[in-house]
Amino acid sequence: AQTVTQSQPEMSVQEAETVTLSCTYDTSENNYYLFWYKQPPSRQMILVIRQEAYKQQNATENRFSVNFQKAAKSFSLKISDSQLGDTAMYFCAFMKATGANSKLTFGKGITLSVRP
Amino acid sequence: NAGVTQTPKFQVLKTGQSMTLQCAQDMNHEYMSWYRQDPGMGLRLIHYSVGAGITDQGEVPNGYNVSRSTTEDFPLRLLSAAPSQTSVYFCASSRRGTRGSEKLFFGSGTQLSVL
């Protein structure tokens, strides 16, 4: 079974600064996907960024980038130039790539507050 | 496109009552799943389906039933609601295949309170 750990329950960052959210995972799989989802107060689940385990290059999406360390089973999210709209809960998630059946394993989430 | 539609958005039940949370998708996705979200617990998989007529249990299936008679619909049934089932429920779907099945489309959630 896979586990995803987000050890920080809350973080706060000043607007325009950079913040890094941590995530570690445990799996015996070699092929898998890792995700960061954002959940604003509207409750909608929004995919922020996705990483494929077989790709060594870290994924980036505009102000969002990841530091994927496969050997260390670490997958952190860096948000640059933080904006007030980034205030939300963020979930790290894992999915096996084999037996592709779209099952996600989520971490407990972290609440990020961006201060004006 | 409507995407994934969940109804109702809010529901209050009394202990022992039954109800069905509806989920429909119009993207012809083969895979559908139900998650519950509890404070401090993240989202946990309840049941999932890889196609019409095929369902299987996830991490927390007790107290819930599902069926998948059509590709579009995947209802979640609570036969006898308990306070422990107070939660926010999300339905999600994705298409089959090595490429693309990892992209889940989520509904907007149902907030359920069981008194």
Side-chain angles (χ1 to χ4, degrees):
Chain A
Q2 286 68 230
T3 60
V4 177
T5 302
Q6 295 179 253
S7 56
Q8 308 154 302
E10 296 180 358
M11 288 192 74
S12 180
V13 64
Q14 194 75 31
E15 192 175 9
E17 293 187 344
T18 295
V19 64
T20 298
L21 310 183
S22 301
C23 174
T24 59
Y25 61 95
D26 190 24
T27 183
S28 58
E29 300 287 326
N30 192 45
N31 295 322
Y32 50 87
Y33 298 99
L34 294 165
F35 307 85
W36 279 97
Y37 279 90
K38 171 185 178 181
Q39 187 181 48
S42 67
R43 203 169 66 194
Q44 187 66 36
M45 293 293 290
I46 302 167
L47 178 63
V48 174
I49 200 164
R50 180 192 78 179
Q51 176 78 40
E52 298 174 64
Y54 69 88
K55 289 187 176 179
Q56 292 185 334
Q57 186 173 5
N58 289 326
T60 63
E61 290 286 345
N62 300 316
R63 297 183 296 108
F64 299 89
S65 61
V66 298
N67 182 4
F68 173 49
Q69 301 290 330
K70 190 173 183 180
K73 295 180 181 175
S74 171
F75 184 62
S76 60
L77 174 69
K78 185 172 79 172
I79 306 175
S80 303
D81 185 25
S82 296
Q83 301 176 359
L84 296 179
D86 295 334
T87 292
M89 179 161 280
Y90 288 81
F91 293 97
C92 180
F94 172 100
M95 179 190 290
K96 292 196 303 183
T98 55
N101 51 22
S102 304
K103 294 192 294 183
L104 280 168
T105 300
F106 286 88
K108 294 182 178 181
I110 179 171
T111 300
L112 176 66
S113 300
V114 180
R115 306 185 304 273
Chain B
N1 283 342
V4 179
T5 302
Q6 286 185 240
T7 56
K9 294 190 183 305
F10 301 93
Q11 183 71 46
V12 179
L13 292 178
K14 294 181 180 179
T15 296
Q17 287 185 317
S18 62
M19 80 159 296
T20 299
L21 306 186
Q22 301 291 346
C23 176
Q25 52 90 11
D26 61 359
M27 298 171 281
N28 202 32
H29 284 169
E30 292 86 355
Y31 298 149
M32 296 187 74
S33 49
W34 277 102
Y35 294 84
R36 60 176 288 173
Q37 181 181 6
D38 302 295
M41 298 294 292
L43 281 77
R44 292 178 292 169
L45 182 66
I46 305 171
H47 285 286
Y48 66 97
S49 170
V50 298
I54 305 170
T55 64
D56 206 346
Q57 296 181 352
E59 181 185 353
V60 288
N62 292 340
Y64 307 95
N65 282 348
V66 292
S67 59
R68 184 97 180 269
S69 56
T70 67
T71 299
E72 295 78 17
D73 300 300
F74 190 43
L76 179 72
R77 298 184 184 86
L78 285 70
L79 298 180
S80 179
S84 62
Q85 294 178 303
T86 293
S87 188
V88 178
Y89 292 85
F90 287 95
C91 179
S93 74
S94 69
R95 62 180 177 87
R96 188 197 307 272
T98 304
R99 292 290 181 182
S101 66
E102 79 285 357
K103 184 177 181 181
L104 266 65
F105 292 76
F106 283 89
S108 57
T110 295
Q111 185 166 336
L112 176 67
S113 296
V114 183
L115 306 177

